[in-house]
Amino acid sequence: MAKAPRYQNRIDLLQGTLDFMILQTLRWGAQHGYGISHAINANSSAAFKVGTGSMYPALHRLEKRGWIRAEWRNSENNQRAKYYVLTAAGKKQLTAEQSRWKQLVDAMASLMKRRKHEEA
Amino acid sequence: MLPRWLRRSRAREIREEIETHVAMATRDYEARGLTPEEARAAANREFGNVLLVRQATADVWSWIRLEQWLQDARFGARIIRHAPGLSAAAILLIALVIGGNATVYSMVNSILVSPAAGVNRDDLVVIRHVDPGVSITDPFVSFPNFEDYARHSTTVRDFVAWHGQRMTLGAPTGNFAVFGSLVTTNYFDALGVEIGRGRGFLARDDDAREGVVVVVSHRVWQEQFNLAEDVIGRTITINRIAATIVGVAPAGFAGALLTPGEDLWMPVRSYFRLTRQDELTNRTLPLVAMAGRLSPSASLAEARSEFATLSSQLRSTYPNAFTTYSPRGVVPLSNPRAVVSRYSATALLPIADMAPVFLAVFSVVTLLTLVVVCANVANLLLGRTVERQRDTAVRHSLGASRTRIVRMLLAEGATLAITAWFAAYIVAWWTSALLLRVIEPRPGLLAGARPDWTLAAYGMTLALLATLAFSLAPALRSWRVQVHPLLKAGEQSIARGRSRLSTALVVVQFALSVLLVTSAGLAYRSMTTLSSADLGFTPDDLLLVTVRLGRGNGAGEEPVADNEQRAALLERIRDRLSTTPGVEAVSYTRRIPGATLLASTRIRRDDQTVTTGFVRQVGPGYLAALGLKAIAGRELTAADRRGATRVAMINQRLAAELFGSEPPLAHSVLIGEKNERVEIVGVIPDALFDGPNHDPHPRYLFVAEQQVPEGPPIDLSFIVRHRGTLDAITPIVTRAIGEVDAALPIAGMSTMNARLALVTELEAQIVQLLACFAALSLIIAAFGHYAVAMFDMRRRTREFGVRMALGASAQRIQHAVVREALVQSLPGLVIGFVLSAGVAVSFKGLLFGVTPVDPMTYAGVFLLLMLTSVVASYLPAWRASRVNVIEALRQE
């Protein structure tokens, strides 16, 4: 009981990554929460399992920051759902995030290459 | 904080959004072939904890910190409901300390910064000179110096000067001795005093061609003129100079300084032109106090540097320009420095130099007291923390963060502190009213000394500091809490061992209380012995009438000019009074009981036999007036006049000291620095002529006033032993004196008993103050003791459970606990007694009829403190003994 890991911490850990994944997903157009979680799970080849407990706070945080905008509309099944859309600020943020991630990936790649070199 | 409706709608939206999510997932599962129930369950499972997600999402929007703070505040406020006793104790302690200290602080501060009543300028500065070689300098400069400063200063304008002195006011109702000031004509304008009736002074009042003018105080207008409408234009005499009243000062205005309280103001130039012209041009005579208005373009620092320059210029031109009064007369200042400071009613008084030191010491003492009190409250809260360890651990494990728990504890502390702050405010009001009653200052002195907003802010700062101090200790303890063992073990594993710090604090508090209570006790015993001391004469039916003769050295004003004349006047009055019906005996003396300073004089028989004693100058028949008789020889008579052999009578104690068993009559002794030779003509009983004295066996030598070379002093008192009531004799005596010299002012009337009461009054006030402090300290110590005991009991709940399960009775537990408390208070008592004895020995001179180690006092204090200790520890003991055995054991 005492060992129960704290909920908040998991979000902290994933926060930057999750925000990026959400913005990336919304690139293709408006989507609701269920759709976003499915898209992330599918696109990352299920490498990430995004829990709703992380995703919804993240969505609302992005909305609060003005990177995405929410509107209620009917889904393909004619069900009222809350759809999220990228705003202009969100697009700008996404570009910035993409280049940041690219840098990170490149840096990690070169690091790993050297590691391999050393091991050889 | 978000409006409630907005929060509601936000929460609803989140709920709907989540419901949509689950609905969509359910539909997908159904599409995959699950039954609706299975699909619903799977969707829910996949989603996770709906409530948690909802809360976490809503938290994004809520001003979470603020909301949590409010929650904390609500939580904190619960402490008062849940632990009323503890809260009350903590609040009372803090309120007493902060409130009491704040009162004293504000009083002293208000004395320091308040202007005199009626002065309405905020740009006033005063200028005085200090000299490192002289401890207290008079704030006076010579009139030429003042004029030079006024002429050359660019930073200070509207210079005013005033010369305060005793004056004799001749009004239709009689002659009165009052204080007054000779002022420059811009005095009222520069100080911003609005003259209530008539006018202030004009520049032309200086030349006195139209006669001398005077402004009188509201009090004089009221008492001497009965608020007559046509008072302006009337003539009064001041020091026998006729002066026309041109104005009445506003009610309350009594000069620019707090003391001595002036009633008359006259233009300084016109007055001195008529009396002692040369004093205005005498550069070495310290004559006037000086003030001015800081010009709008100058700062205080600029004024300071300017006056430093001006004063050094003055000194280079006139090397002896700066002087001060000293016991040896007017002496030059060797290293004078001009000091410019903001004006207040006390800025030129010695208190201006002493009070900041007092305030600094007082602040340190306040802080120390506060630390002790905070430690006590911390102990109380610590006890509560222990009780709640389990509660805290549960919260912790349920996900409350450590910071959150610490915040909750801080919130509790803040609740106590804020409540205590309000309580302190009430205490401050109450103590200031009480202090004003106890101290009975000069009217108007502390009129403004009421708690105000600055004081409230000061109190708040202290209270907040206190909060931090006493909440953090338990808070930090809980920070270190390991959750696991607590959940398993309950209350015993925390706070292992008694806190050495808190035990030490209890000892210190006890020692201090012992010191204070012992001091108060000794002072009380001393005072009661003092006031019941045998005077050696009967003080009843003695009327004391003080007349003002003026000074013989030319510095003051003289109703009666010449030494010989004044001495003769005294005898004439004595003769007249002795034949007045109702008067049994009459004499006169320079000193009546109640003077604060008793200076003794060296008395020498020869080179080997030297002692000190009180030398008193009295008129013929002094002993008879007191109802005493000489034991050997005779008492002083009218025959002991100037030109005859100088004679003296000494009391038995002095006779024994100087002559042993030898008969002292016809021997001579030398008195004072001047070695004045007097022949002893009488030995008189050992009475306490100056009233109860800290020396129970004072030595006295009486010389004849008529034989004192420099003549009678300013004030001299007649002692009249009378028959009949005081009311009957007073007008008779006044009339008789008036018949001898109609112009002689009567400076005061009193009875011997009233004057004797004055002697012990100061002691009584000290005792009252000490008693207040002692009581406060005792309360603090008791709480400290209680807090530690309570904490201890909490910790030992299980131990008591075990003991009782093994057959110990509740009574036995109580006895054990109280016994432990008593043992614990012993070190404090011992230290306290040692301290008290040390302090009392060093203040032995202030004690009367009580030894510094008075057994009665010490026994009393011992019992009182033991009683305190028992009471403080009994309540926790009683609680501990009522522990439910099963409860206590189940905690294992």
Side-chain angles (χ1 to χ4, degrees), chain B residues 302-314:
Chain B
E302 282 164 356
R304 281 180 181 144
S305 73
E306 188 194 44
F307 273 86
T309 318
L310 287 178
S311 71
S312 66
Q313 278 170 3
L314 265 179

Side-chain angles (χ1 to χ4, degrees), chain A residues 1-2 6-7 32-34 37-38 52-53 55-57 59-61 63-64 72 75 77 79-82 84, chain B residues 13-14 16-17 20-21 23-25 27-28 46-48 52-53 56-57 60-61 397 399 401 483-484 487:
Chain A
M1 167 163 95
R6 286 184 53 239
Y7 201 65
H32 46 67
Y34 182 66
S37 72
H38 259 266
T52 50
M55 194 192 67
Y56 276 101
L59 275 172
H60 283 251
R61 199 165 39 244
E63 185 186 348
K64 197 178 172 188
W72 287 88
S75 69
N77 300 322
Q79 186 181 14
R80 237 173 80 82
K82 197 180 174 193
Y84 293 94
Chain B
E13 197 187 84
I14 292 168
E16 278 176 32
E17 189 178 4
T20 323
H21 184 116
M24 285 175 171
R27 197 188 306 267
D28 279 359
E46 186 193 62
F47 190 89
L52 214 52
V53 175
T57 312
V60 172
W61 293 100
S397 65
S401 69
V483 177
H484 252 310
L487 282 176

Side-chain angles (χ1 to χ4, degrees), chain A residues 8 11-12 22-23 29 46 48-49 54-55 89 91 99 116:
Chain A
Q8 208 84 23
I11 294 177
D12 289 346
I22 291 171
L23 293 176
F48 301 113
K49 175 95 173 99
S54 310
M55 194 192 67
K91 280 176 189 146
S99 65
K116 234 174 232 167

Side-chain angles (χ1 to χ4, degrees), chain B residues 605-673:
Chain B
R605 181 188 173 193
D606 48 51
D607 286 341
Q608 281 80 47
T609 328
V610 182
T611 183
T612 58
F614 298 120
V615 173
R616 297 280 174 262
Q617 299 80 4
V618 297
Y622 176 74
L623 280 189
L626 291 182
L628 299 175
K629 278 198 178 73
I631 292 168
R634 62 172 177 93
E635 92 151 301
L636 301 175
T637 65
D640 300 316
R641 63 172 66 90
R642 191 162 296 206
T645 318
R646 283 200 70 184
V647 293
M649 42 190 197
I650 57 178
N651 72 344
Q652 287 170 294
R653 178 64 58 159
L654 183 62
E657 190 98 7
L658 287 178
F659 298 97
S661 51
E662 241 179 291
L665 294 185
H667 280 282
S668 284
V669 293
L670 303 168
I671 52 177
E673 298 297 318

